[in-house]
Amino acid sequence: MRYNNIRKVLFAILLLLILIPLHSHSAEPFIVRVIYFKPTNAPPQPDGLTDLIEEVQIFYANEMKRHGYGFKTFQFERDENDDIVIHTINGNHNAGHYIAPKTSVKVEEELPFEFSDRNIKSGDNIHIVIVGGLDLINNSVLGVGWPIVRWQSGGRAYVAGNRLSVSLTAHELGHAFGLYHTDVPNSLMGPGSEILLDYEAAWLDKHHYFNDIHIRNDIPTFSTYIGAIVPDRWTVRYRFTTSSKSGLYYCQAINWNKNTLTIGYDELSGNTDTAVVDVSRRFISDGDSVSFLIMDVHGNFISHNINPISVPENDPTRDPNEIVNKNPDPNQETDQDEEEIDKDIDPCPHCMPNDEEMLENSDLGLQPQNKLTTQWAKLKSGR
């Protein structure tokens, strides 16, 4: 009898030893993969590239620690020696071919299927593509980046290889993580390079890439757009209800007509909550297109667009709690990966010369495949 008990215990231990590695490898880790795309006349992989991208990783870790979240950061793809893997892909044309409009589209066409957006599985990776031999992307900017939302958690970032810098690379990766522009002068996502803001660090604290959490049996839902009230003459307060079986965490409001600017945010909790987003009047105009990004406690997030959004007039005789809702169909679903909106993007307050011309020719939309252009990239390049 005692022998049988010992045998059962040993069998249970053996089974546990087998199941643990199977469970730990049941999902691929969320990693950032680095690609050096080399046009025919571009130089080889730049010296110090590995050091530069490791500095990007450390920058995020230091900023997360400064905000009280611990020394946490994302992971780059590494080999068996723990060295960062940089995939060199040889292009079919010289650099001039890729500097024309839609640089990322032309490069994407030549990427192997493994890295391409044609590969469904690649949607759970963030790919940062450094295009050698280029000073500019799309003729006017030094980098572009964009996230993939809903059931996938990856993104893309493209950087002009001749203007490579830590802050530029970190900025474009920020877009791939779901961060947008800000007007704060010394911030990474604004016209500076030094810090992450409070709400950005909070967003990253639950992001898949900063936790490697693979619980994705649910995504948040935008339930009902309630409308706007005017709590004071400087502010418009937007409210909407949202839900998630996993538990709600955070939301951001992004104005696509103001240089894809983050104009407000709110902490969420519970399985159902009412988001309250205060927006300064200087960041929004009647008729703008605004997206609300909603994240749950496991890092899954969606984007819901209100286009056009209404901005109530500053009427001192109006009850500050009166809900104003002029939008034609407030419950219409226009999630980011279901509708594309063509529009011109207003120049940002810190744009460099030629940015306005670039913005007028922009084809930004609300598809995950479309890009968030970096208007402040020239500042970040140090040139």
Side-chain angles (χ1 to χ4, degrees):
M1 186 73 171
R2 182 178 178 185
Y3 172 76
N4 287 336
N5 289 337
I6 293 174
R7 187 171 63 176
K8 289 179 181 178
V9 170
L10 290 175
F11 178 78
I13 293 173
L14 179 62
L15 184 62
L16 185 63
L17 290 173
I18 292 172
L19 289 178
I20 287 175
L22 284 176
H23 175 74
S24 63
H25 291 86
S26 60
E28 293 295 323
F30 293 108
I31 56 172
V32 174
R33 309 181 78 184
V34 184
I35 299 167
Y36 180 68
F37 185 84
K38 181 184 177 303
T40 54
N41 61 339
Q45 186 183 120
D47 293 335
L49 180 55
T50 297
D51 293 338
L52 182 144
I53 58 181
E54 282 186 327
E55 287 184 47
V56 172
Q57 190 179 39
I58 293 170
F59 165 84
Y60 275 97
N62 284 332
E63 282 299 289
M64 293 298 287
K65 182 179 180 181
R66 184 175 69 84
H67 285 282
Y69 297 106
F71 196 73
K72 64 190 302 184
T73 189
F74 61 93
Q75 300 301 316
F76 283 110
E77 181 183 12
R78 294 179 181 268
D79 62 19
E80 62 276 7
N81 297 318
D82 202 35
D83 294 325
I84 291 178
V85 175
I86 301 176
H87 301 271
T88 297
I89 307 298
N90 293 315
N92 299 326
H93 307 276
N94 62 33
H97 173 80
Y98 304 101
I99 201 172
K102 300 187 181 298
T103 302
S104 57
V105 174
K106 294 190 175 185
V107 172
E108 194 75 34
E109 292 172 349
E110 298 182 24
L111 291 180
F113 183 74
E114 176 186 3
F115 306 110
S116 170
D117 58 9
R118 302 184 303 276
N119 178 7
I120 297 298
K121 292 183 178 180
S122 74
D124 273 333
N125 288 132
I126 287 176
H127 295 112
I128 179 161
V129 183
I130 299 158
V131 186
L134 288 191
D135 286 319
L136 299 171
I137 288 176
N138 293 348
N139 285 334
S140 301
V141 298
L142 304 181
V144 294
W146 64 99
I148 299 173
V149 300
R150 292 175 68 88
W151 292 112
Q152 292 187 299
S153 305
R156 296 287 191 276
Y158 279 77
V159 179
N162 288 355
R163 298 295 189 95
L164 201 58
S165 70
V166 172
S167 57
L168 174 60
T169 306
H171 178 104
E172 299 309 336
L173 278 177
H175 285 320
F177 295 140
L179 302 180
Y180 294 73
H181 291 143
T182 174
D183 72 331
V184 178
N186 63 336
S187 63
L188 177 72
M189 303 310 294
S193 61
E194 298 178 10
I195 63 170
L196 286 176
L197 303 180
D198 291 345
Y199 75 86
E200 293 170 336
W203 179 266
L204 295 177
D205 183 50
K206 291 291 189 290
H207 196 280
H208 285 304
Y209 275 74
F210 284 69
N211 297 278
D212 202 26
I213 294 175
H214 291 261
I215 302 175
R216 293 191 287 176
N217 57 343
D218 175 48
I219 57 174
T221 301
F222 186 101
S223 301
T224 304
Y225 177 68
I226 298 174
I229 64 173
V230 184
D232 57 58
R233 61 177 179 168
W234 300 282
T235 308
V236 180
R237 177 171 295 164
Y238 292 95
R239 294 189 295 173
F240 62 89
T241 59
T242 180
S243 62
S244 170
K245 296 177 183 177
S246 302
L248 295 162
Y249 173 60
Y250 218 81
C251 74
Q252 298 183 70
I254 314 299
N255 190 336
W256 293 85
N257 293 88
K258 298 292 188 295
N259 190 40
T260 57
L261 192 73
T262 302
I263 57 175
Y265 46 87
D266 188 27
E267 296 181 16
L268 305 173
S269 62
N271 297 108
T272 302
D273 201 2
T274 298
V276 179
V277 181
D278 286 348
V279 179
S280 170
R281 283 187 176 275
R282 65 193 180 101
F283 293 145
I284 194 166
S285 302
D286 202 48
D288 283 351
S289 176
V290 173
S291 287
F292 294 101
L293 274 65
I294 307 164
M295 179 183 280
D296 68 19
V297 295
H298 295 139
N300 306 303
F301 67 97
I302 64 163
S303 176
H304 182 93
N305 183 251
I306 303 292
N307 178 44
I309 203 163
S310 63
V311 180
E313 295 178 359
N314 183 21
D315 182 358
T317 65
R318 180 189 292 126
D319 181 348
N321 295 312
E322 177 187 350
I323 296 175
V324 180
N325 188 346
K326 296 188 297 183
N327 297 300
D329 188 359
N331 294 315
Q332 181 182 0
E333 285 290 339
T334 54
D335 286 333
Q336 178 165 341
D337 62 348
E338 296 175 351
E339 178 177 323
E340 181 172 354
I341 298 175
D342 259 339
K343 55 187 171 295
D344 294 331
I345 308 300
D346 291 340
C348 63
H350 302 282
C351 285
M352 300 296 291
N354 300 324
D355 281 349
E356 184 171 354
E357 178 183 354
M358 188 281 299
L359 289 169
E360 289 176 354
N361 297 321
S362 174
D363 62 349
L364 294 185
L366 296 182
Q367 298 283 3
Q369 293 81 8
N370 289 334
K371 292 81 181 167
L372 302 179
T373 55
T374 306
Q375 310 308 327
W376 300 299
K378 294 185 179 71
L379 290 173
K380 296 177 185 301
S381 71
R383 301 188 182 186

